[in-house]
């Protein structure tokens, strides 16, 4: 039996894969508007160690790392450099992969890019809005915190105790800043 630390219960618990013998790991990848730095390596290395351990334990691990290649930071950086945003993002994505390769981090099984998955993202957001799990406000879409009672459980935060504007400026477009 493989046991891991359960961040919700704060205890060690048996790993129960949804598909016997297989695990899926999602790693929120970089927003590619500049070169990678040492802070990018920590989550990559953590997932790599976990993946290798799971595989050595007899499980098939599928790792997904996305690339955010459409984002305001990319557009701003491209304008500063006089470069096409898509070309800038593609160049930094290639550089990022090379940097992770130089650390001997195993490549992910799947590497989707936001630019290639926009229709699916829009469909998913529309379904969240229709289900009352998200809402549009001020030209943006936000998660409806009140629609998910365990919200804050992972971080150990009680939503009622959070003070709007204490960590970041409050956004008046949000129902639950």
């Amino acid at each position: 039996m493989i046991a891991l630390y359960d961040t919700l219960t704060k205890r060690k618990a048996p790993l129960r894969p949804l598909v016997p013998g297989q695990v899926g790991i999602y790693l929120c990848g970089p927003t590619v508007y500049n070169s990678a730095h040492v802070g990018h390596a920590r989550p990559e290395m953590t997932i790599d160690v976990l993946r290798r351990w799971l595989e050595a334990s007899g499980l098939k691990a599928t790792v997904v790392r996305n690339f955010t290649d459409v984002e305001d930071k990319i557009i701003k950086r491209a304008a500063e450099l006089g470069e096409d945003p898509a070309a800038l993002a593609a160049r930094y994505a290639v550089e990022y992969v090379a940097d992770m390769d130089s650390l001997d981090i195993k490549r992910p099984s799947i590497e989707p890019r936001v630019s290639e998955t926009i229709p699916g993202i829009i469909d998913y957001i529309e379904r969240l809005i229709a289900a009352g799990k998200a809402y549009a406000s001020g030209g943006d879409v936000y998660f409806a915190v009140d629609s998910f009672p365990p919200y804050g459980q992972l971080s150990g935060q009680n939503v009622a105790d959070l003070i709007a504007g204490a960590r970041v400026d409050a956004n008046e477009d949000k129902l639950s800043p």
Side-chain angles (χ1 to χ4, degrees), residues 42 117 164:
R42 185 191 54 79
T117 58

Side-chain angles (χ1 to χ4, degrees), residues 68-97:
T68 300
D69 60 349
V70 176
E71 211 260 5
D72 289 342
K73 291 177 188 174
I74 295 168
I75 295 166
K76 181 181 176 197
R77 178 83 168 140
E80 290 170 358
L81 298 175
E83 192 172 342
D84 174 69
L88 176 123
R91 179 168 49 84
Y92 281 124
V94 168
E95 183 181 299
Y96 186 89
V97 170

Side-chain angles (χ1 to χ4, degrees), residues 25-32 62-70 89 93 96-97 107-118 120-121:
I25 302 170
Y26 177 80
L27 171 64
C28 186
T31 300
V32 283
T62 300
V63 176
V64 178
R65 174 185 65 205
N66 75 297
F67 279 103
T68 300
D69 60 349
V70 176
Y96 186 89
V97 170
R107 288 193 181 182
S109 315
I110 305 167
E111 290 182 302
R113 295 173 190 264
V114 168
S115 61
E116 298 168 350
T117 58
I118 289 174
I121 293 169

Side-chain angles (χ1 to χ4, degrees), residues 4-147:
L4 298 172
Y5 180 75
D6 183 331
T7 54
L8 291 177
T9 64
K10 311 288 190 245
R11 291 190 300 253
K12 197 173 181 181
L15 175 64
R16 294 187 182 96
L18 297 174
V19 177
Q22 298 181 36
V23 292
I25 302 170
Y26 177 80
L27 171 64
C28 186
T31 300
V32 283
Y33 67 97
N34 210 335
S35 296
H37 53 76
V38 70
H40 290 108
R42 185 191 54 79
E44 293 276 355
M45 292 175 78
T46 301
I47 295 302
D48 187 60
V49 169
L50 176 62
R51 174 192 197 168
R52 290 172 191 258
W53 179 76
L54 290 166
E55 290 174 343
S57 298
L59 296 170
K60 179 183 184 297
T62 300
V63 176
V64 178
R65 174 185 65 205
N66 75 297
F67 279 103
T68 300
D69 60 349
V70 176
E71 211 260 5
D72 289 342
K73 291 177 188 174
I74 295 168
I75 295 166
K76 181 181 176 197
R77 178 83 168 140
E80 290 170 358
L81 298 175
E83 192 172 342
D84 174 69
L88 176 123
R91 179 168 49 84
Y92 281 124
V94 168
E95 183 181 299
Y96 186 89
V97 170
D99 288 344
M100 296 307 118
D101 284 351
S102 73
L103 297 172
D104 197 30
I105 292 170
K106 289 177 81 170
R107 288 193 181 182
S109 315
I110 305 167
E111 290 182 302
R113 295 173 190 264
V114 168
S115 61
E116 298 168 350
T117 58
I118 289 174
I121 293 169
I122 292 170
D123 177 63
Y124 189 69
I125 291 169
E126 288 172 344
R127 288 187 285 135
L128 287 171
I129 292 170
K133 303 292 183 188
Y135 60 95
S137 178
D140 292 312
V141 176
Y142 300 98
F143 179 69
V145 172
D146 294 342
S147 73

Side-chain angles (χ1 to χ4, degrees), residues 132 143-149 151 159 175-176:
F143 179 69
V145 172
D146 294 342
S147 73
F148 187 66
Y151 188 87
V159 177
L175 296 176
S176 301

